[in-house]
């Protein structure tokens, strides 16, 4: 299944799924038995699965893609943790600043908390922060937690994943670099927007790409139609199982929590260098595409 959140022409927000290039309204198709909120659906998935399997599609509950606006699948997730899990990205990004990878990076997967109230979806406009002259995209994959758990082991972590989506961890690099000199951050360098979407893909749809606890998924970024970044999820150093184990240590993860992978190798301008790709400016269209997960597009504005 590919789950979506969308708005009708009347501006009403609904939850549903993609079916044969059309959008099914889960609340309408179930006669009100399924919720109109995707987070509520994930939180109560075990209670809803039988209803889901027995719904009968009807025209009143189905929309053509051009009749709706696709939103971020989870516009207000409970939390967003973004990891730093691709070794190639860590090496290149740090070397650009004259730094080596510190030994501690190899001891544990690390993350920061992003702003879960600043989530944007496909085709939404991304406002360039004031005083930012080095705006960057970041090509990432994220998993969505499907059930509550604490101290989850990497062996059982797969059972806690509801699905996957594309994630763009927008970064104001100049703001980020300055504040992190203080020893905290990235804070305002990331605070303004994180894009996810266009939908959440359930694990079964990606099974054909699975190799061990990883997936063979090509990851591509384009700016104004030109390919800038090409990577693969299977190059990740820490698996999502390891990330979930780390994130849940001594704390509880909840349904709808988002776990980001961090940037794939070559997956940002910081790595490429402005000599290969200039920093983003108003009017630029950024497209992130990942095998099986669709395309996430956003345009930068002043």
């Amino acid at each position: 299944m590919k789950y979506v959140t969308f708005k009708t022409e009347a501006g009403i927000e609904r939850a549903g799924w993609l079916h044969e290039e059309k959008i099914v309204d889960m609340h309408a198709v179930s006669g009100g038995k399924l919720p109109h909120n995707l987070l509520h659906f994930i939180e109560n998935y075990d209670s809803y699965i039988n209803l889901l399997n027995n719904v009968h599609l009807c025209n009143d509950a189905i929309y053509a893609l051009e009749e709706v606006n696709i939103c971020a699948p989870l516009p207000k997730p409970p939390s967003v943790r973004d990891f730093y899990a691709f070794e190639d990205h860590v090496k290149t990004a740090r070397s650009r600043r004259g730094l080596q990878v510190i030994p501690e990076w190899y001891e544990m997967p690390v993350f920061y908390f992003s702003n879960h109230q600043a989530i944007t979806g496909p085709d939404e406009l991304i406002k360039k922060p004031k005083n930012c002259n080095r705006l960057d995209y970041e090509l990432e994959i994220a998993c969505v937690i499907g059930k509550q758990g604490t101290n989850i082991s990497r062996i059982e972590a797969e059972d806690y994943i509801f699905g996957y989506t594309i994630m763009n961890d927008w970064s104001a690099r100049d703001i980020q670099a300055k504040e992190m000199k203080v020893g905290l951050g990235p804070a305002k360098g990331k605070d303004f927007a994180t894009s996810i979407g266009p939908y959440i893909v359930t694990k079964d749809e990606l099974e054909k790409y699975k190799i061990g606890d990883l997936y063979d998924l090509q990851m591509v970024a384009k700016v104004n139609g030109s390919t800038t970044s090409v990577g693969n999820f299977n190059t990740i150093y820490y698996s999502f199982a390891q990330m979930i184990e780390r994130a849940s240590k001594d704390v509880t993860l909840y349904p709808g929590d988002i776990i980001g992978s961090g940037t794939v190798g070559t997956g940002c301008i910081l790595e490429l260098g402005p000599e290969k790709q200039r920093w983003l400016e108003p009017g630029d269209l950024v497209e992130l595409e990942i095998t099986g997960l669709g395309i996430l597009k956003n345009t930068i504005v002043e």
Side-chain angles (χ1 to χ4, degrees):
M1 299 284 278
K2 292 181 175 70
Y3 290 103
V4 297
T5 294
F6 65 96
K7 285 185 179 179
T8 65
E9 291 181 342
I12 300 171
E13 190 171 282
R14 286 286 186 260
W17 63 85
L18 193 64
H19 175 74
E20 297 179 351
E21 299 305 311
K22 294 185 177 181
I23 301 295
V24 178
D25 182 333
M26 68 166 65
H27 184 74
V29 80
S30 65
K33 294 178 181 178
L34 291 174
H36 54 72
N37 178 285
L38 191 54
L39 178 58
H40 185 66
F41 174 78
I42 296 171
E43 289 172 335
N44 299 278
Y45 181 76
D46 288 343
S47 300
Y48 290 136
I49 185 61
N50 288 333
L51 285 171
L52 187 70
N53 291 333
N54 290 291
V55 296
H56 298 286
L57 300 185
C58 58
N59 290 335
D60 291 343
I62 299 177
Y63 297 88
L65 288 174
E66 58 270 19
E67 293 181 292
V68 302
N69 291 321
I70 304 296
C71 307
L74 293 175
K76 300 291 183 184
S79 72
V80 179
R81 293 171 174 86
D82 200 10
F83 277 80
Y84 196 34
F86 285 92
E87 184 181 24
D88 287 346
H89 169 67
V90 177
K91 284 182 174 179
T92 306
R94 289 183 66 83
S95 67
R96 282 273 175 183
R97 293 172 283 158
L99 303 171
Q100 294 183 334
V101 182
I102 60 173
E104 288 82 358
W105 186 85
Y106 293 98
E107 295 176 9
M108 58 186 173
V110 294
F111 67 90
Y112 76 94
F113 280 99
S114 192
N115 186 353
H116 68 124
Q117 297 290 337
I119 298 297
T120 57
D123 299 315
E124 283 197 54
L125 302 178
I126 305 301
K127 189 173 181 180
K128 182 181 177 183
K130 292 182 180 178
N131 304 317
C132 171
N133 296 307
R134 295 167 58 192
L135 181 61
D136 203 354
Y137 66 84
E138 297 204 45
L139 173 56
E140 307 189 19
I141 182 172
C143 79
V144 177
I145 297 300
K147 62 180 181 178
Q148 183 174 322
T150 308
N151 291 321
I152 303 164
S153 74
R154 68 187 67 179
I155 295 173
E156 60 181 349
E158 181 77 12
D159 293 337
Y160 287 81
I161 297 175
F162 178 77
Y164 295 90
T165 191
I166 302 172
M167 180 167 163
N168 191 336
D169 173 34
W170 302 99
S171 300
R173 296 298 189 187
D174 40 0
I175 297 172
Q176 175 187 358
K178 186 174 183 180
E179 65 186 355
M180 290 188 74
K181 288 181 180 179
V182 182
L184 291 176
K188 298 306 293 184
K190 307 276 193 174
D191 199 33
F192 57 99
T194 298
S195 298
I196 60 171
Y199 31 68
I200 298 172
V201 179
T202 52
K203 295 177 292 185
D204 57 301
E205 287 216 13
L206 299 180
E207 195 64 31
K208 59 186 175 183
Y209 305 111
K210 196 164 189 180
I211 303 172
D213 58 356
L214 301 179
Y215 293 91
D216 179 18
L217 305 178
Q218 187 178 52
M219 305 172 69
V220 177
K222 295 179 181 180
V223 178
N224 298 325
S226 297
T227 299
T228 51
S229 304
V230 178
N232 196 296
F233 177 66
N234 64 16
T235 62
I236 202 164
Y237 188 89
Y238 290 109
S239 68
F240 272 114
Q242 291 171 292
M243 290 183 249
I244 289 170
E245 181 179 68
R246 174 68 179 171
S248 68
K249 184 175 176 59
D250 301 318
V251 301
T252 302
L253 300 185
Y254 294 93
D257 281 350
I258 292 175
I259 306 287
S261 65
T263 308
V264 69
T266 79
C268 62
I269 300 172
L270 178 65
E271 282 188 70
L272 300 170
E275 66 275 11
K276 290 186 178 180
Q277 170 59 48
R278 63 165 173 76
W279 302 106
L280 300 174
E281 296 289 348
D284 286 342
L285 171 66
V286 178
E287 301 174 71
L288 305 187
E289 182 173 6
I290 299 178
T291 303
L293 300 183
I295 302 175
L296 178 62
K297 301 179 183 181
N298 296 97
T299 300
I300 308 301
V301 296
E302 195 67 63

